[in-house]
Amino acid sequence: MGSHGSERSQIRKICVVGAGSAGVAASKYLLAEKCFDTIDIFEQQASFGGVWNYSNDPINTINIPQINPHQPLDEPIWHSVSDQNGVARGARQAKFLSPMYERLETNIPHSLMGFSDMPSLEDHQLFPSREVVTQYLEDYGEEIRHLVYFQTQVTDICQTRPGAHQVRLKDLQTSTVYEKTYDAVLVANGHYNVPSLPNIKGIKEWNQANPGVISHSKLYRRPGEPFADKKVIIVGNAASGTDIASQIETVSKHPLLISQRSESIMGSAARFTEIVPQLAEFLPDFHGTRAVRFADGRVEENVDAILFATGYYYSFPFLSSLESKFSSTGERVSRLYKHLFYIDDPTIAFIGLPMKIIPFRTDEGQGAIVARVWAQRLELPSTLEMSRWEEDVIAERGAGKAFHDLSFPKDFDYHNELVDWATRATGRGGKMPMRWSAKDRWTRGRMAAIKRAFAEKGNARHGIKTLQELGFDYDSWLREQLPQDGTQLGTS
């Protein structure tokens, strides 16, 4: 591993934290190297899927405001297990609260969403439902099921020395706590667990006076109570905010108010909404009943529900001895090279941190690099060079949330860079990710418009399976770009 290679023995035993899309994809690339003695994957849920595991548990509590990323490990929610006839078998299964909601559909067309080595979702609607994606991830993980310890929570990882990691584990079924030691740790626990709910002026006192009115999108499950025939404000206009708004407006009073800091690029089918400026203050009662003020001075009274779709913090409660070095504010993970390797000890790596990306294929690209580096088929730059990379990104984007923001086209460029890097590995073998094609890039650049056109079809959207059915035809577009003399354009 570059300048670190002489500082450690060869990696033989690997711990993977999480069996969602990132953990499973990366583990397949680790397994394909055929040089590691142990690859143990620990997943606190009872199945594959990570964040896609739906939990229908009514939990109505959240810190308001929620500005501290350093939260304890989640406690499991226990469900009794039933047979095919719905009869309880006496067993129980651990589930954890996720941000999945009942009617969620992806905001990525299936032509871009799938893994490179897994049949696509083309037999389903163009933007698949959460149920379809959950089953897809379950099928994708089957190949490595034998490596996974389900319903096992990683409670602490202590770095005893560079390249030696003591991992404390808890079997949730038996409450047995035990420890294992690994040469390397791959963190793939996701970043949709600890909600971010800003400390807007007056919010704490307002919430105490009006309990239950303020919530976060992590707790949203379906339109209905508490939104039916109510005055509702959605704070945030990214993917979840716009999608949830289009659902709630079907039952709420009109217009539904969407508070935003900047214009949304997401497609939305919402028709009965009004865009308002950033929410600036929660007002005391003498200004009116349940009143708020927006940045332009407008005051809205008698607000019945406020749902914050304001994202999540990066949080690693099982890295308590190192978390202050990785993520002091929760807005990004510090001391990482290429959003992957811990610069001070590259036997710790993270998968799935970048935001605003096409995740499954990016997981593959990242997994390919980690596998090759840990198999000593790729070298990392020196510590100084890796630190300079981080400094350059901070100079360009800042040290906050924008650090891991790879909005198009940065996401495609990043993935293709990873693929090109993987091709430079020495030796043979391993698993190779796929570059994004010119057609993929064309589709990605039009994704918001495609989603908007899809949503505008209403219930008819469920029968739409191709881009062409919405009027987005890459081949036709390509023919229109041909020069008059017939010279062909590049297609990759």
Side-chain angles (χ1 to χ4, degrees), residues 45-66:
Q45 300 271 14
S47 60
F48 292 110
V51 71
W52 288 91
N53 278 289
Y54 178 71
S55 56
N56 190 27
D57 299 281
I59 296 179
N60 299 314
T61 58
I62 185 173
N63 294 329
I64 300 175
Q66 171 60 277

Side-chain angles (χ1 to χ4, degrees), residues 177-192:
V177 176
Y178 59 103
E179 294 181 348
K180 300 183 77 171
T181 302
Y182 296 91
D183 304 318
V185 172
L186 183 63
V187 180
N189 68 314
H191 46 76
Y192 296 102

Side-chain angles (χ1 to χ4, degrees), residues 478-489:
L478 193 61
R479 286 192 294 270
E480 292 172 0
Q481 310 309 306
L482 289 175
Q484 293 295 323
D485 62 4
T487 303
Q488 290 203 346
L489 297 176

